[in-house]
PDB file of all heavy atoms in Angstrom:
ATOM      1  N   ALA A  89      -8.919  21.711  -3.322  1.00  0.00           N
ATOM      2  CA  ALA A  89      -9.726  20.486  -3.305  1.00  0.00           C
ATOM      3  C   ALA A  89      -9.695  19.754  -1.964  1.00  0.00           C
ATOM      4  O   ALA A  89     -10.454  18.801  -1.775  1.00  0.00           O
ATOM      5  CB  ALA A  89      -9.277  19.550  -4.419  1.00  0.00           C
ATOM      6  N   TYR A  90      -8.847  20.155  -1.035  1.00  0.00           N
ATOM      7  CA  TYR A  90      -8.706  19.408   0.218  1.00  0.00           C
ATOM      8  C   TYR A  90     -10.026  19.170   0.958  1.00  0.00           C
ATOM      9  O   TYR A  90     -10.291  18.031   1.369  1.00  0.00           O
ATOM     10  CB  TYR A  90      -7.676  20.069   1.141  1.00  0.00           C
ATOM     11  CG  TYR A  90      -6.262  19.691   0.801  1.00  0.00           C
ATOM     12  CD1 TYR A  90      -5.528  20.421  -0.127  1.00  0.00           C
ATOM     13  CD2 TYR A  90      -5.660  18.587   1.385  1.00  0.00           C
ATOM     14  CE1 TYR A  90      -4.232  20.070  -0.454  1.00  0.00           C
ATOM     15  CE2 TYR A  90      -4.357  18.226   1.061  1.00  0.00           C
ATOM     16  CZ  TYR A  90      -3.653  18.974   0.144  1.00  0.00           C
ATOM     17  OH  TYR A  90      -2.377  18.609  -0.181  1.00  0.00           O
ATOM     18  N   PRO A  91     -10.888  20.173   1.158  1.00  0.00           N
ATOM     19  CA  PRO A  91     -12.151  19.881   1.873  1.00  0.00           C
ATOM     20  C   PRO A  91     -12.988  18.804   1.181  1.00  0.00           C
ATOM     21  O   PRO A  91     -13.555  17.928   1.844  1.00  0.00           O
ATOM     22  CB  PRO A  91     -12.875  21.231   1.885  1.00  0.00           C
ATOM     23  CG  PRO A  91     -11.783  22.250   1.747  1.00  0.00           C
ATOM     24  CD  PRO A  91     -10.746  21.600   0.866  1.00  0.00           C
ATOM     25  N   ASP A  92     -13.044  18.843  -0.148  1.00  0.00           N
ATOM     26  CA  ASP A  92     -13.816  17.841  -0.886  1.00  0.00           C
ATOM     27  C   ASP A  92     -13.149  16.467  -0.814  1.00  0.00           C
ATOM     28  O   ASP A  92     -13.831  15.442  -0.716  1.00  0.00           O
ATOM     29  CB  ASP A  92     -13.984  18.263  -2.342  1.00  0.00           C
ATOM     30  CG  ASP A  92     -14.886  19.473  -2.498  1.00  0.00           C
ATOM     31  OD1 ASP A  92     -15.765  19.675  -1.639  1.00  0.00           O
ATOM     32  OD2 ASP A  92     -14.702  20.227  -3.475  1.00  0.00           O
ATOM     33  N   VAL A  93     -11.825  16.440  -0.843  1.00  0.00           N
ATOM     34  CA  VAL A  93     -11.102  15.169  -0.752  1.00  0.00           C
ATOM     35  C   VAL A  93     -11.338  14.530   0.614  1.00  0.00           C
ATOM     36  O   VAL A  93     -11.590  13.323   0.703  1.00  0.00           O
ATOM     37  CB  VAL A  93      -9.596  15.370  -1.038  1.00  0.00           C
ATOM     38  CG1 VAL A  93      -8.803  14.118  -0.682  1.00  0.00           C
ATOM     39  CG2 VAL A  93      -9.376  15.747  -2.495  1.00  0.00           C
ATOM     40  N   TYR A  94     -11.269  15.320   1.680  1.00  0.00           N
ATOM     41  CA  TYR A  94     -11.534  14.780   3.023  1.00  0.00           C
ATOM     42  C   TYR A  94     -12.922  14.142   3.077  1.00  0.00           C
ATOM     43  O   TYR A  94     -13.089  13.024   3.581  1.00  0.00           O
ATOM     44  CB  TYR A  94     -11.457  15.872   4.090  1.00  0.00           C
ATOM     45  CG  TYR A  94     -10.076  16.392   4.376  1.00  0.00           C
ATOM     46  CD1 TYR A  94      -9.818  17.755   4.381  1.00  0.00           C
ATOM     47  CD2 TYR A  94      -9.013  15.537   4.662  1.00  0.00           C
ATOM     48  CE1 TYR A  94      -8.552  18.251   4.649  1.00  0.00           C
ATOM     49  CE2 TYR A  94      -7.748  16.022   4.929  1.00  0.00           C
ATOM     50  CZ  TYR A  94      -7.521  17.374   4.921  1.00  0.00           C
ATOM     51  OH  TYR A  94      -6.264  17.862   5.185  1.00  0.00           O
ATOM     52  N   LYS A  95     -13.899  14.834   2.537  1.00  0.00           N
ATOM     53  CA  LYS A  95     -15.275  14.326   2.533  1.00  0.00           C
ATOM     54  C   LYS A  95     -15.379  13.029   1.727  1.00  0.00           C
ATOM     55  O   LYS A  95     -16.005  12.058   2.157  1.00  0.00           O
ATOM     56  CB  LYS A  95     -16.200  15.406   1.957  1.00  0.00           C
ATOM     57  CG  LYS A  95     -17.657  15.050   1.965  1.00  0.00           C
ATOM     58  CD  LYS A  95     -18.475  16.218   1.410  1.00  0.00           C
ATOM     59  CE  LYS A  95     -19.924  15.865   1.273  1.00  0.00           C
ATOM     60  NZ  LYS A  95     -20.704  16.959   0.649  1.00  0.00           N
ATOM     61  N   LEU A  96     -14.748  13.014   0.569  1.00  0.00           N
ATOM     62  CA  LEU A  96     -14.795  11.831  -0.295  1.00  0.00           C
ATOM     63  C   LEU A  96     -14.086  10.641   0.340  1.00  0.00           C
ATOM     64  O   LEU A  96     -14.568   9.510   0.254  1.00  0.00           O
ATOM     65  CB  LEU A  96     -14.175  12.143  -1.663  1.00  0.00           C
ATOM     66  CG  LEU A  96     -14.148  10.969  -2.644  1.00  0.00           C
ATOM     67  CD1 LEU A  96     -15.565  10.545  -3.028  1.00  0.00           C
ATOM     68  CD2 LEU A  96     -13.336  11.339  -3.879  1.00  0.00           C
ATOM     69  N   LEU A  97     -12.950  10.885   0.996  1.00  0.00           N
ATOM     70  CA  LEU A  97     -12.194   9.780   1.589  1.00  0.00           C
ATOM     71  C   LEU A  97     -13.000   9.043   2.650  1.00  0.00           C
ATOM     72  O   LEU A  97     -12.849   7.828   2.807  1.00  0.00           O
ATOM     73  CB  LEU A  97     -10.862  10.261   2.151  1.00  0.00           C
ATOM     74  CG  LEU A  97      -9.809  10.644   1.115  1.00  0.00           C
ATOM     75  CD1 LEU A  97      -8.527  11.094   1.806  1.00  0.00           C
ATOM     76  CD2 LEU A  97      -9.524   9.530   0.132  1.00  0.00           C
ATOM     77  N   LEU A  98     -13.856   9.746   3.361  1.00  0.00           N
ATOM     78  CA  LEU A  98     -14.727   9.064   4.335  1.00  0.00           C
ATOM     79  C   LEU A  98     -15.604   8.030   3.630  1.00  0.00           C
ATOM     80  O   LEU A  98     -15.736   6.894   4.087  1.00  0.00           O
ATOM     81  CB  LEU A  98     -15.597  10.075   5.075  1.00  0.00           C
ATOM     82  CG  LEU A  98     -14.888  10.978   6.059  1.00  0.00           C
ATOM     83  CD1 LEU A  98     -15.847  12.047   6.582  1.00  0.00           C
ATOM     84  CD2 LEU A  98     -14.323  10.172   7.211  1.00  0.00           C
ATOM     85  N   GLU A  99     -16.178   8.425   2.522  1.00  0.00           N
ATOM     86  CA  GLU A  99     -17.045   7.514   1.758  1.00  0.00           C
ATOM     87  C   GLU A  99     -16.249   6.392   1.105  1.00  0.00           C
ATOM     88  O   GLU A  99     -16.634   5.228   1.145  1.00  0.00           O
ATOM     89  CB  GLU A  99     -17.825   8.307   0.705  1.00  0.00           C
ATOM     90  CG  GLU A  99     -18.878   7.499  -0.008  1.00  0.00           C
ATOM     91  CD  GLU A  99     -20.056   7.122   0.879  1.00  0.00           C
ATOM     92  OE1 GLU A  99     -20.336   7.821   1.864  1.00  0.00           O
ATOM     93  OE2 GLU A  99     -20.705   6.108   0.580  1.00  0.00           O
ATOM     94  N   VAL A 100     -15.125   6.747   0.507  1.00  0.00           N
ATOM     95  CA  VAL A 100     -14.278   5.763  -0.167  1.00  0.00           C
ATOM     96  C   VAL A 100     -13.817   4.703   0.821  1.00  0.00           C
ATOM     97  O   VAL A 100     -13.863   3.504   0.540  1.00  0.00           O
ATOM     98  CB  VAL A 100     -13.070   6.455  -0.851  1.00  0.00           C
ATOM     99  CG1 VAL A 100     -11.997   5.447  -1.232  1.00  0.00           C
ATOM    100  CG2 VAL A 100     -13.527   7.232  -2.070  1.00  0.00           C
ATOM    101  N   ASN A 101     -13.369   5.125   1.999  1.00  0.00           N
ATOM    102  CA  ASN A 101     -12.875   4.167   2.988  1.00  0.00           C
ATOM    103  C   ASN A 101     -13.979   3.276   3.537  1.00  0.00           C
ATOM    104  O   ASN A 101     -13.711   2.148   3.961  1.00  0.00           O
ATOM    105  CB  ASN A 101     -12.121   4.885   4.101  1.00  0.00           C
ATOM    106  CG  ASN A 101     -10.760   5.359   3.636  1.00  0.00           C
ATOM    107  OD1 ASN A 101     -10.156   4.769   2.756  1.00  0.00           O
ATOM    108  ND2 ASN A 101     -10.290   6.445   4.215  1.00  0.00           N
ATOM    109  N   ASN A 102     -15.208   3.738   3.487  1.00  0.00           N
ATOM    110  CA  ASN A 102     -16.326   2.876   3.873  1.00  0.00           C
ATOM    111  C   ASN A 102     -16.622   1.819   2.810  1.00  0.00           C
ATOM    112  O   ASN A 102     -17.208   0.790   3.111  1.00  0.00           O
ATOM    113  CB  ASN A 102     -17.586   3.708   4.136  1.00  0.00           C
ATOM    114  CG  ASN A 102     -17.542   4.383   5.478  1.00  0.00           C
ATOM    115  OD1 ASN A 102     -16.956   3.873   6.423  1.00  0.00           O
ATOM    116  ND2 ASN A 102     -18.149   5.555   5.569  1.00  0.00           N
TER     117      ASN A 102
END
Side-chain angles (χ1 to χ4, degrees):
Y90 278 88
D92 291 332
V93 169
Y94 289 130
K95 183 178 175 184
L96 179 65
L97 288 180
L98 289 173
E99 188 69 25
V100 165
N101 286 331
N102 282 329

